Amino acid sequence: MANRIAGLAMALALVAPAAALAQDGAPRTPWGDPDLQGTWTNTTTTPLERPTDLAGKDVLSEEERAAIDEENAPGIDAAVGVGAYNNFWMERGYVYEQTSLVVDPPDGRLPRVLPKAKARQDALVASRRSSSYPTTYEEPSLMERCITRGVPGVMLPGNYNHNYNILQAPGYVAIFHEMIHDFRIIPLDGRPHIAPGIHQWMGDSRGYWDGDTLVVETSNFTDKLYERRGSLLVWGTGKHMTVVERFTRRGDVIDYRFTLTDPTTFERPFTASIPMVPLDEPMFEYACHEGNYAMANMLSGARDQEAAAQRTGSE
Amino acid sequence: MHKQTWIGALMVVALAGTAPAAAQSNGDGPRTSWGDPDLTGVWDFRTLTPIERPDGLGDKAVLTAEEAAAFEQQALQQWDADRRDGSDLEYGQGSDIERAYNDFWWDYGSSIDEDRRTSLIVDPPDGKIPWTPEGKARPGTFDLAFSGIITAGPEDRALSERCILGFNSGPPVESSAYNNNLQMFQTPDTVVIFNEMIHDARIVPLDGRPQLDDGIRQWMGVSRGRWEGDTLVVETTNSGLERQPAPDRAVHADQRGSAALRVHGQRSHDVHPPVDRADADEALRREPVRVRLPRGQLRHVQPAVRRACRGEGSGRGGIEIASGRPARAPARSGG
C-alpha cells in the first residue's frame, strides 16, 4: 500500500490533465517499441464526472486532496447495518489531482445523452428501483453476472481489482485485465477489423504506434453492453460505438486516456484520463463465479419480497 | 524489467538486420527476434484420436493405414449427430433432438493423429490413465454427469457447463468437441497461452519466479515455464479443481499434482523421449501420465475466435503433456 501511495503521488506530479510531456529516455522493448510492459493499477476515488459543487474547478490542491482522502477513509466500515463488503475488501485508492476522470468536455461531465438512449437509461433505472427487481438473471449488470465489464468499462476504476498486466511481442500488445480475467490481444499489423456483423463483448481491438503512444481502436461491440454506475449510464448501442484508447508511458506512469464515440447515445464524444501506476504485487485470479451465490440470493430474495407484498396487499 | 530491457537492447544491436518479428530459422524452426523458439500463432488441436486407448487394443500403440481409415469412418459415424435413426449409443435415443448439437457445431476433426496412434496418452505404454482405486472413485466421471443423476444446484454441474473453465482448455490441454484452438503469444520473459474455449488466458512467466503459496488455489492453477533446449516446459500447480465434477476432462492436475506441458517448437513431427518419472500422488494416480497431442497451425492472421481452417500452415508441432508431480531431474535433452 505504501508503494501504491508513492506511485500515485508520482502519477499526480507527472500527469497534467491536458499537457503533453517529454518522452525522452522511455524504456524500449528489444525490437524498439516503447515498453509499456508490467503490472499496473489505476485505483482511485476520483469520480468519473466532476461533482457539481466543483463546477469550473479542474484540479485540486494538495490540501483539498488530503481532506477528501480523509473524508473517504472510513468508507463502508462506517455504514450502519449489514451492507455489502467492508473496507477489508475495498481497494478504492486515493483521489487524483484532477477533479474528474472525464477531461473532455472541459466541464468534466458526460455529454448529454440523446433522447432514445435516455429512455433506455431511464428504463434501466426504473427496473433497478422496482420492488420486484430482479425478475430475471438478465436484469443485473454484465459485471454482476460475471460476464464482462467490456471496453472501456474494464479500464475504469471502481471498488477493487483494477489491475492490468501489459505484455508486448513484435506486432502485438496484450492486456490482461484482472477483472473479470479478460484478455485482449491487440494486433499492430494494420489488419482490418472483423466483419461488421460480428459483435463481441470486448469488441474487436486494433492498435498502432503514434510516436511513443500506443493507440488502440475498438469497435464491433455488442449492444448488450452497459456499465452499472451510480446513474446507470448507457455507454453505447454496440454497433454505433467506437473507443479509442491512448497509452503513453511517462517515466513510471502510463498516461491512459480513452475517447468514446457513439452518435446514437451521446451528442458528442467524450474523453477520460486515468493514470496507471506500477502495481508492486502479483495479479491473482478473479474467478468471479466462485462462491457467487449473489445471483440466486437476489432472485429468491426478490421473490420473497413479492410474496410478502402480496400477503400484506401492498407494494 | 529495466535490466532485461537493457540486455535486450544489446541483443538487438548484435543481431542488426534481423526483422523485429523474425522468422529466422537456425535449422530447428523459426526463432523470435530474441532467440527463443517461435511458438507464436494460432494453433488447433482437434483430433479423433481418443485420450485413452480403446479397450481391446492392449499394447497396440499404432494402427495400420487401413485400420486408421476404418477407425475414422467408425468414429465419424458414431459422432454423427445428424442421424435420425434409432441407435444403441449410450446417450442417443434415436432422435437427433436428443443428441444435442448436430454436426455443424462439432469440431472433433475428421482424422486421427498423423502417427496413427491409438491414444493421445503415450505413457504409460498401455495408453490408459493409471488410476488408483481411490482416484477412479472420485466424483467427476463421465457417467456421473450424464446418466441422469439428480442435481441439487448449479455447483453439481461441470465447470464447463457453468462457463467457469473450458473442457479442453487445460491445463492440461485436451482435444474435445469444439473450439480446439489456442493462440500463443511470446515476450522475452513470458509466454501466454490464450484458449478460445471460455476465452481463458494463461500468462506463464519464464523468469524462474517461485510458485504461489500452496494455500492459493486457482481454477487454471499457477503456471511457471522454462526452456529446455527448444522445448517450452510449463509446470502448473495450485489447481483448484479438487472435488469438482469434470466429466469431460479425463486428465487434469488436481491440487496435489501438477501438469508439465512440454511444447515442442519444431515443425517436424518428432517422437520425443519420455520424461523422467517422478513420485506419483498415491491417492490418485500410480504414476505420471504422458499425453501427446497433434497440433496443426491455423492461418497466421486468423484470430482464435474463428473456426479453424484445417490443413493450412506448414508442418505440425507437438504438444506433450505429463501429468503428475514435477520431475526431480531434468528431462533428457530434446524432450
Side-chain angles (χ1 to χ4, degrees):
Chain A
M1 181 59 75
N3 287 335
R4 289 195 192 185
I5 295 173
L8 182 60
M10 187 183 301
L12 300 178
L14 288 175
V15 178
L21 301 178
Q23 299 167 16
D24 291 340
R28 302 242 156 211
T29 64
W31 53 94
D33 286 338
D35 194 342
L36 304 176
Q37 296 182 98
T39 51
W40 307 87
T41 182
N42 63 2
T43 300
T44 181
T45 54
T46 299
L48 177 68
E49 293 188 276
R50 186 172 301 153
T52 51
D53 60 343
L54 294 178
K57 188 179 177 66
D58 56 357
V59 294
L60 297 169
S61 66
E62 287 285 338
E63 293 75 22
E64 288 169 324
R65 281 172 35 228
I68 292 174
D69 288 339
E70 186 176 338
E71 187 181 328
N72 287 337
I76 295 292
D77 280 339
V80 177
V82 176
Y85 306 134
N86 65 8
N87 269 352
F88 175 84
W89 301 103
M90 295 300 183
E91 199 176 55
R92 294 200 177 113
Y94 301 90
V95 70
Y96 288 150
E97 183 181 53
Q98 62 201 78
T99 53
S100 59
L101 300 182
V102 172
V103 294
D104 183 65
D107 65 358
R109 307 286 299 181
L110 290 174
R112 186 177 68 92
V113 179
L114 297 173
K116 243 187 192 175
K118 182 70 167 59
R120 183 181 172 196
Q121 182 175 306
D122 291 344
L124 283 170
V125 173
S127 121
R128 294 282 300 206
R129 292 176 180 166
S130 159
S131 59
S132 60
Y133 174 86
T135 57
T136 165
Y137 59 87
E138 287 182 315
E139 284 184 0
S141 72
L142 298 174
M143 185 169 68
E144 291 173 283
R145 295 167 62 194
C146 290
I147 293 177
T148 186
R149 297 189 73 210
V151 172
V154 73
M155 302 299 293
L156 285 171
N159 288 328
Y160 39 70
N161 295 104
H162 299 285
N163 306 315
Y164 313 91
N165 188 356
I166 299 178
L167 301 160
Q168 291 174 248
Y172 290 94
V173 172
I175 306 175
F176 181 68
H177 313 79
E178 192 169 72
M179 181 184 302
I180 300 173
H181 61 267
D182 271 322
F183 190 74
R184 286 194 279 167
I185 298 178
I186 303 162
L188 308 177
D189 58 3
R191 70 184 67 175
H193 281 286
I194 55 180
I198 300 175
H199 304 285
Q200 302 187 136
W201 291 114
M202 296 285 282
D204 180 62
S205 296
R206 298 287 182 265
Y208 60 90
W209 292 102
D210 180 9
D212 284 348
T213 295
L214 171 68
V215 182
V216 178
E217 297 183 355
T218 306
S219 61
N220 296 75
F221 291 102
T222 164
D223 61 3
K224 302 173 193 174
L225 199 65
Y226 70 93
E227 173 76 5
R228 184 183 80 90
R229 301 191 74 86
S231 58
L232 290 174
L233 302 171
V234 177
W235 281 127
T237 57
K239 59 183 177 183
H240 301 290
M241 184 170 82
T242 58
V243 176
V244 178
E245 299 165 279
R246 300 179 71 87
F247 300 76
T248 307
R249 184 164 186 166
R250 308 184 194 283
D252 275 342
V253 173
I254 290 182
D255 177 5
Y256 169 77
R257 298 164 186 256
F258 72 81
T259 299
L260 188 150
T261 303
D262 183 353
T264 65
T265 299
F266 298 106
E267 66 177 355
R268 52 158 284 178
F270 70 89
T271 298
S273 167
I274 316 167
M276 301 165 71
V277 298
L279 177 69
D280 295 325
E281 302 166 5
M283 283 174 58
F284 295 95
E285 176 184 80
Y286 188 87
C288 203
H289 263 309
E290 184 165 15
N292 188 17
Y293 303 108
M295 181 63 72
N297 292 341
M298 286 163 63
L299 288 166
S300 66
R303 305 290 79 74
D304 282 349
Q305 283 183 312
E306 283 177 341
Q310 283 175 1
R311 284 194 296 273
T312 59
S314 60
E315 272 216 350
Chain B
M1 173 71 68
H2 293 284
K3 182 177 178 184
Q4 289 174 347
T5 302
W6 177 240
I7 293 173
L10 291 176
M11 289 175 65
V12 169
V13 170
L15 295 172
T18 302
Q24 188 175 45
S25 170
N26 59 4
D28 293 328
R31 300 232 160 221
T32 63
S33 59
W34 55 92
D36 286 337
D38 188 354
L39 303 177
T40 57
V42 182
W43 302 83
D44 81 270
F45 47 94
R46 76 193 76 183
T47 180
L48 291 178
T49 304
I51 183 82
E52 289 189 282
R53 187 169 301 150
D55 294 336
L57 289 180
D59 286 335
K60 188 179 177 66
V62 178
L63 299 175
T64 65
E66 294 74 22
E67 290 169 333
F71 178 89
E72 287 168 355
Q73 188 180 8
Q74 181 187 17
L76 290 172
Q77 202 169 6
Q78 178 181 337
W79 284 113
D80 181 3
D82 283 320
R83 291 162 42 212
R84 301 194 177 197
D85 58 322
S87 88
D88 57 1
L89 289 176
E90 285 184 351
Y91 55 90
Q93 299 300 316
S95 167
D96 61 20
I97 295 174
E98 295 184 10
R99 293 188 174 124
Y101 304 137
N102 67 5
D103 270 8
F104 175 84
W105 301 104
W106 297 121
D107 197 18
Y108 286 103
S110 56
S111 63
I112 62 174
D113 166 68
E114 282 183 353
D115 289 339
R116 303 198 300 272
R117 289 181 287 131
T118 54
S119 63
L120 296 180
I121 290 176
V122 297
D123 185 60
D126 65 357
K128 297 286 194 181
I129 297 173
W131 294 107
T132 62
E134 294 79 10
K136 190 75 174 176
R138 278 181 66 196
T141 61
F142 188 91
D143 288 341
L144 178 64
F146 288 91
S147 59
I149 300 291
I150 296 174
T151 54
E155 288 174 326
D156 296 318
R157 305 304 302 173
L159 295 176
S160 55
E161 292 177 52
R162 298 166 66 197
C163 291
I164 290 176
L165 194 62
F167 52 68
N168 67 3
S169 56
V173 172
E174 299 175 49
S175 294
S176 190
Y178 39 73
N179 296 104
N180 297 306
N181 306 310
L182 60 82
Q183 182 167 358
M184 297 196 73
F185 179 90
Q186 288 174 253
T187 78
D189 52 12
T190 308
V191 170
V192 178
I193 305 171
F194 178 66
N195 289 284
E196 189 173 78
M197 172 74 69
I198 313 192
H199 58 273
D200 273 323
R202 273 195 289 152
I203 299 174
V204 183
L206 307 176
D207 58 5
R209 69 184 66 176
Q211 289 284 11
L212 296 182
D213 183 89
D214 193 54
I216 297 174
R217 300 285 156 187
Q218 302 190 148
W219 289 118
M220 290 199 293
V222 176
S223 296
R224 297 288 184 262
R226 65 181 187 274
W227 291 102
E228 287 184 2
D230 283 350
T231 297
L232 172 68
V233 180
V234 178
E235 294 192 1
T236 304
T237 59
N238 299 71
S239 171
L241 285 178
E242 60 168 345
R243 309 286 177 208
Q244 291 292 333
D248 38 21
R249 299 176 62 84
V251 180
H252 63 262
D254 70 3
Q255 64 169 349
R256 281 163 290 183
S258 71
L261 167 68
R262 294 175 173 271
V263 182
H264 302 279
Q266 294 89 336
R267 296 295 197 243
S268 61
H269 203 53
D270 297 329
V271 176
H272 301 278
V275 299
D276 291 342
R277 294 192 175 194
D279 295 337
D281 185 325
E282 292 302 322
L284 290 177
R285 299 194 185 91
R286 298 189 302 273
E287 56 203 27
V289 173
R290 261 177 88 237
V291 178
R292 189 157 188 274
L293 287 172
R295 186 161 302 269
Q297 184 177 21
L298 301 179
R299 195 195 310 268
H300 177 68
V301 296
Q302 188 167 0
V305 295
R306 291 190 294 186
R307 182 171 175 164
C309 183
R310 187 163 176 80
E312 292 174 334
S314 58
R316 301 166 69 83
I319 288 188
E320 191 171 275
I321 303 160
S323 186
R325 295 233 175 108
R328 291 185 180 161
R332 288 187 286 275
S333 62

